[in-house]
Structure formats: C-alpha cells, structure tokens
Amino acid sequence: MASPENDVVFDRIMEMVGDDGPFQKRYNLIYNVLAVLVFGMTVVNILLVLTVPDHNCNVPGRELHNVTSVDRWRNLTLPRELNSRGESSFSSCRMYNLSKYPEGTTPDQWVFYPNETTSCLYGYEYDREYFDRTPVTEQDWVCEKELHPTNVFAFIRFGEVSGTFVLGQLGDSVTWIFNKLIGRLPVYLISLAMGALGRALAVFTAPHYGLFTLLAFVGSFASNTGFQSPLIVAMEISKDENRASLSLWQLGGWTVGICVAPMILWWCRNWVWLLLGTSLPLLAFYCLPQYNIESPRWLAGQGRYPECIRMLKKIAKVNGKRFEMTVEELQEKAPRKEFEKMYGIVSLFSGSHMAKLTSLLLVGWICNTIPTFTLLLLSTQMGGNPFMNFFWQGAIELPAYLCGQVLCDRIGRRWTNSVAFLCNALSCIPVIFIIHHPGTELYTSIFAVVIKFFVCVTYFALYLQSFEVYPTLLRQTGTSFGIIVANIFGALGPYIVFLGTSFDIRLPFVVLMLIGLLGFVTSIFLPETLYQKLPDTMDEGRRFGKNQRFWTMPRRPRTERAQSPGEVEKLNQS
C-alpha cells in the first residue's frame, strides 16, 4: 500500500482548488440531498405498489336474485373466517358454491355448509379506500398467487446484494476478482440509469410476472451504489472537518424521500404514475456536466493524471480559484499508489479472535437488516392508514440516527448497540398482546415506530463498530461484507411478513422479538471501541479488545496534569 503521505499531499492540492467552497456545497446539495431524495423514492416505490389490499371473491348474480343490499349478498355468498388480525371477517379467497341452487330459488331457501365452498370463480373485489390501481389489483396477485409480491420483494433484496458486490468493487478498490476499475462516476451514472429505467419499464410488464420481477431486480441492482458513489466523491473533495456531516445530509435526503413517496401514491392512487414520477427524475442528474465529476483523488491514485487535472480545474473554476498545475507536477507530487492484492474476505477470519469478532458483527448486521425491511413491508398491513404508517416508519429514522450518535459518544458503541437491541425486542411484546384487539391500530402503529427507532439506533452503532473493530487494510472490506451478508438474509423479511398476512399478524412481531434478543446477546460480547486506538495492522486487529473487561464503561483518556513546575519539566523530558 502507498504511504499516508500521498493523501496528505493531495489534501494540500485540494486546498489550492478549494475544499470548502461553492462547488462542494452545490455538489452535496445536488447529489447527496436531492438525488438521494429521488433515489429514496425509487427504492420504496415498488414496496408501496405491491401492497395487498383487503379483498373478497366477486360473486355475480345479486340483481338476478333481487338482493338489494351488498352486505346481505356478502353474508349469503361468502363464508366467514378469522383473518390474520384475529377478527371474524368474510373469507378473502373462498365463496359458497352457488351451483347447488338453480336460478329461480330465493336466497331465503339457501343453506350452505362449511365444506361447500370453492375458490373465487369470478375474480375479486378489492377494498379501494386507499389503493385504487396497483399491480396486485390489476393482475389479481392474491390467493393462489399470493406469493407473487413476496417473491418480488425477495428478488429486490438479491438485486441490491448483487449490485453492491459487482458495482461497488468496480468503482472503489482493487480486489482479486476485479482488477479493471471504471471509477465512481461511471458506476454512479449506471446506477441512475438502472434505477430509472428498471422502475419505469416495469409499468408495462405487470401482465408478464417473470419480466416484471426481472425489472424489479434491475431497478434495485444499483440502489446502494446510488448512495455510496456521490458520498465517497463528496468526502474525497472536502476538508476533513466537513466529512462527518456529509453522511448526515445524505440521511436527511433519504428520510425525506421515503416519507414523500407514500404521500404521492395516496394522492394519485395510481401505481403507474408513482413509478414513473419517482424514478424518471433520476435521469435529470445526467444534465449537470459541470458537477458530474470523478473523484480527482481516485484518478490520481490510478495514475490518470490528465483526467485528474481536468476535474481539479472544474472545482477551481466554480470556487473562484486559479489552478495552473501541470500533469508532470501532479505526477511528481502525488505518485500513483501501488495497491496490494488482497484476499480480503478470507482475512476477516484470520485468527480465532478476529473470526469471533467478524461472526458477531455479521450476526448483528443480520439482526438489524431483517427488521428494517420487515417493518417497512409490515407498515402497510397493520391496519389504519397504510400511507401514514409508512410515513412514520421513514420519518423516525433521522431522529434515531441523531440519538444513536449522541449515545455512541456518551456511553459507547457496545452498550448503545446492545441496549437498543434489547429495547427493540421488548417493544415487540405489547404489539403481540394488543394487535388482535379491535380499535388498537393506532397503538400498534406507534409501537411499530418505536421498534423502528431502536433498529435505526443499532444500525448507527453497528456501522461505527464495523469501521472501528477491523484493521485499516480490512476496514472497508469488513463493513461491506457485513452489509452484503445481512442483505442476503434480509430476503427473509418478505416471507416473515407473509406469515403475518396469511396466518397470524402476531407472528412477524414474535420473530422480530427473537431477532432482537439474538442481537442483544451477540452485540454485548463485542469490544468497546470508543476512546480506543483503532487497529492499523493485521496483528493489532487480531488482538483488538481481547483483554477488555466485560462490565467496564468507556472512559475518556486522562489529560496529563502537572502539579508543579518540576513535574512539568519531568513530563516534557519524558
């Protein structure tokens, strides 16, 4: 690996072109706030339009039998059963077999027995209070096809995992798999195109389930790189003091995006307009060539000096700076980095202690990711207004991250993570007890938001722990590996929701409670990283936290305090 002096030199070069000027502020606003806002809507719009509304069999013939009341006709033709919320309601997928009684008989003569039902022969009637036109209502993805939406959700997760693995490595670092890099900007432009076209083309393919699923996969393939690429570029062109706040700005854009998307569908009630209106605007970010830049720091590291000079001049021009450095001068000041070819993922398990830390972090990521996706999907199935439920699930994220930041800096990463996991599990218990009682939809939604709050706190703590536990050479590899593995297991989320919608709405919360308890048990055995020197070498990584006491709290290192001039002199000499 190259020495850190190269990065110090490039920091000075960035000061020459401006590392805190109008360019950085505009770039951050355009790509880490506005573009992320649209990307957030693109990520969740497919989740919203695949919500399954309440439905029953459509039974024709009410006029032929002179039944004027719709409710009476339902009572005559539809059997009753307990739904997933434990309420007695009309069957969603069964109807009485009316062929038993020929035309001319009056409904008063009808007597049906429980075993005289059949599947819906004439289609379905949907509750259109909130959802008017969706792929589910148009294609009848219910009953015999009830797994169709669930399978699409699973493919979305696999798309995110695949895209993170492929595009993330093409745009970031040299690995033993991808030795030819294309850079952050091409990866970002690919992400914009795949997100926009994958979602937009899906509106024409709902009658063809396989093609619809494929396009859902394509639209989600580049989701993570759509967030990562502009954030990395922004950090690499900004001064150190500003880098910590950049991710918070991006989280703000994401939160607004996932809150606005359900409101748009509530207003337009048409899934076609939602997908087109929240995905095609991504293409607008192609139209800003003066701000569409590749990271000059990355270009210099790859030895692409002419392109690096061109990017630096773009930044200097907007910042009102003069930059006259030549290619030869840049090559002399910032020589190309020599990357070491590493088998990164295998190195995460080198030594028993590092293997233990990696395993604990992986379990933590899994216990965080499954509830995150499950709660978003459940928010539209818990009763009440599904759009407001989804809105609050998104709106709680930003305050949760802010709370996580404060707690991580006060009581440490380890206790913040473990206590948040425990609170997550405990918050599921009231939902399990009240969700079957009529009129408790509001309380259920409130507790679901509380659960999401603690899940977001664990995310913030886990991200810090992953970054700080691993040595420098494995820091990014370890964090990315944890997120990828967690997203694979996150594909279980739709099937957990399926348990609730098709069997008992309490079951997902039972599963979430058990996952929270597992996260609590595993996270409490991770070492505390607050105020600790981060490991740089592999040997330091294998020993990091090995001798920490279990019940200790993190303490700020004592500042040296001299009691007398003589002690001051001794300290200076030492």
Side-chain angles (χ1 to χ4, degrees):
M1 294 291 291
S3 64
E5 284 80 5
N6 282 353
D7 288 327
V8 175
V9 169
F10 211 90
D11 287 338
R12 293 174 183 164
I13 294 174
M14 287 307 306
E15 289 176 5
M16 295 170 59
V17 300
D19 57 3
D20 188 26
F23 186 94
Q24 281 79 4
K25 291 179 174 62
R26 294 172 193 173
Y27 184 94
N28 194 40
L29 176 63
I30 294 169
Y31 296 108
N32 282 316
V33 179
L34 296 179
V36 166
L37 188 156
V38 181
F39 244 118
M41 292 193 292
T42 303
V43 168
V44 301
N45 58 18
I46 194 75
L47 310 183
L48 289 166
V49 302
L50 291 179
T51 300
V52 180
D54 290 337
H55 54 277
N56 307 109
C57 293
N58 175 38
V59 185
R62 180 165 62 89
E63 294 80 6
L64 295 176
H65 294 284
N66 295 320
V67 179
T68 57
S69 170
V70 174
D71 290 336
R72 182 168 182 246
W73 182 249
R74 287 184 175 179
N75 276 310
L76 290 168
T77 58
L78 300 177
R80 282 190 169 270
E81 59 185 25
L82 292 179
N83 62 18
S84 62
R85 291 188 284 270
E87 302 167 341
S88 176
S89 64
F90 294 116
S91 173
S92 298
C93 301
R94 306 295 294 178
M95 56 178 280
Y96 286 125
N97 190 355
L98 299 185
S99 62
K100 177 180 177 180
Y101 294 98
E103 289 188 26
T105 58
T106 63
D108 294 331
Q109 299 172 310
W110 295 356
V111 177
F112 293 106
Y113 297 98
N115 62 347
E116 295 179 332
T117 62
T118 183
S119 58
C120 299
L121 303 175
Y122 309 102
Y124 303 89
E125 291 180 348
Y126 295 94
D127 182 356
R128 300 188 183 271
E129 180 180 1
Y130 296 111
F131 296 95
D132 191 5
R133 185 184 174 197
T134 70
V136 174
T137 61
E138 289 181 349
Q139 306 302 322
D140 291 333
W141 288 348
V142 294
C143 298
E144 290 85 358
K145 299 178 181 179
E146 62 184 348
L147 275 175
H148 277 25
T150 303
N151 291 333
V152 173
F153 294 143
F155 271 95
I156 287 171
R157 299 305 288 183
F158 286 128
E160 292 175 359
V161 172
S162 305
T164 302
F165 181 74
V166 175
L167 294 178
Q169 295 194 74
L170 283 175
D172 188 29
S173 59
V174 177
T175 68
W176 64 284
I177 297 178
F178 295 103
N179 292 315
K180 179 66 176 176
L181 307 181
I182 62 175
R184 281 80 185 269
L185 178 59
V187 164
Y188 183 60
L189 297 178
I190 291 171
S191 302
L192 292 175
M194 295 188 76
L197 299 179
R199 291 290 188 262
L201 294 176
V203 303
F204 305 105
T205 61
H208 310 284
Y209 177 69
L211 187 55
F212 182 90
T213 304
L214 176 62
L215 287 171
F217 178 93
V218 170
S220 301
F221 186 82
S223 294
N224 288 332
T225 50
F227 299 111
Q228 292 171 355
S229 297
L231 182 60
I232 292 173
V233 171
M235 287 185 172
E236 292 181 346
I237 64 173
S238 301
K239 63 180 181 180
D240 290 342
E241 303 92 274
N242 294 347
R243 291 173 186 172
S245 64
L246 293 175
S247 59
L248 197 59
W249 278 101
Q250 191 180 83
L251 287 172
W254 159 261
T255 301
V256 173
I258 63 176
C259 290
V260 169
M263 300 298 105
I264 294 176
L265 182 58
W266 193 8
W267 170 68
C268 71
R269 303 176 64 88
N270 189 314
W271 75 283
V272 171
W273 295 118
L274 175 70
L275 260 60
L276 293 177
T278 57
S279 59
L280 289 180
L282 286 174
L283 299 178
F285 295 97
Y286 278 89
C287 305
L288 299 163
Q290 68 271 38
Y291 296 105
N292 261 333
I293 67 163
E294 180 59 87
S295 167
R297 192 183 300 264
W298 181 86
L299 289 170
Q302 296 299 310
R304 293 160 61 175
Y305 297 108
E307 295 174 68
C308 179
I309 291 288
R310 192 162 63 250
M311 297 299 120
L312 290 170
K313 287 184 176 180
K314 277 188 176 184
I315 298 173
K317 181 178 180 181
V318 175
N319 286 338
K321 303 276 188 177
R322 292 192 63 184
F323 183 71
E324 304 295 340
M325 185 177 289
T326 64
V327 171
E328 292 74 18
E329 291 173 333
L330 178 62
Q331 187 171 359
E332 181 181 349
K333 290 179 178 293
R336 180 178 180 179
K337 295 181 180 180
E338 295 298 328
F339 288 95
E340 178 185 354
K341 191 175 290 188
M342 291 187 61
Y343 300 89
I345 293 176
V346 176
S347 301
L348 296 173
F349 296 91
S350 61
S352 59
H353 185 65
M354 186 174 289
K356 169 191 165 185
L357 297 182
T358 299
S359 301
L360 290 174
L361 284 169
L362 287 178
V363 175
W365 277 115
I366 292 168
C367 292
N368 171 269
T369 302
I370 292 177
T372 300
F373 195 40
T374 302
L375 286 168
L376 277 177
L377 297 179
L378 267 177
S379 62
T380 58
Q381 306 291 341
M382 291 186 300
N385 188 323
F387 302 112
M388 291 307 300
N389 290 344
F390 200 100
F391 173 87
W392 290 116
Q393 283 285 316
I396 198 63
E397 291 198 10
L398 192 57
Y401 294 136
L402 292 172
C403 179
Q405 182 180 24
V406 172
L407 290 175
C408 284
D409 290 339
R410 296 287 178 86
I411 67 173
R413 285 75 156 119
R414 171 173 169 254
W415 288 109
T416 298
N417 194 12
S418 58
V419 171
F421 266 124
L422 180 61
C423 292
N424 167 14
L426 296 178
S427 299
C428 295
I429 296 175
V431 181
I432 296 170
F433 282 104
I434 69 173
I435 199 168
H436 270 195
H437 296 283
T440 59
E441 291 85 359
L442 176 61
Y443 302 108
T444 300
S445 298
I446 291 173
F447 278 112
V449 171
V450 172
I451 297 169
K452 180 65 178 295
F453 177 89
F454 290 117
V455 168
C456 291
V457 172
T458 64
Y459 174 85
F460 193 92
L462 270 169
Y463 196 82
L464 283 177
Q465 287 177 305
S466 296
F467 188 78
E468 294 169 344
V469 162
Y470 292 118
T472 301
L473 297 181
L474 291 175
R475 196 156 287 148
Q476 185 167 357
T477 300
T479 304
S480 299
F481 181 59
I483 294 174
I484 288 172
V485 172
N487 279 331
I488 293 174
F489 281 87
L492 296 173
Y495 298 99
I496 296 173
V497 176
F498 178 75
L499 291 176
T501 56
S502 298
F503 297 99
D504 192 323
I505 194 64
R506 294 175 297 185
L507 291 178
F509 292 96
V510 173
V511 175
L512 294 182
M513 180 185 70
L514 296 175
I515 290 175
L517 291 175
L518 177 61
F520 166 69
V521 171
T522 55
S523 61
I524 205 168
F525 289 104
L526 284 166
E528 178 56 65
T529 59
L530 180 62
Y531 305 137
Q532 300 296 315
K533 177 189 177 299
L534 301 186
D536 289 319
T537 65
M538 290 294 296
D539 185 59
E540 290 178 357
R542 295 187 187 101
R543 292 183 286 107
F544 183 77
K546 202 170 186 178
N547 298 320
Q548 277 190 14
R549 294 181 179 179
F550 184 81
W551 292 109
T552 55
M553 293 289 291
R555 294 183 180 180
R556 187 186 298 274
R558 290 184 178 180
T559 56
E560 294 175 338
R561 185 180 58 184
Q563 300 295 328
S564 66
E567 290 180 352
V568 171
E569 186 177 352
K570 289 180 181 179
L571 286 171
N572 290 334
Q573 291 175 353
S574 62

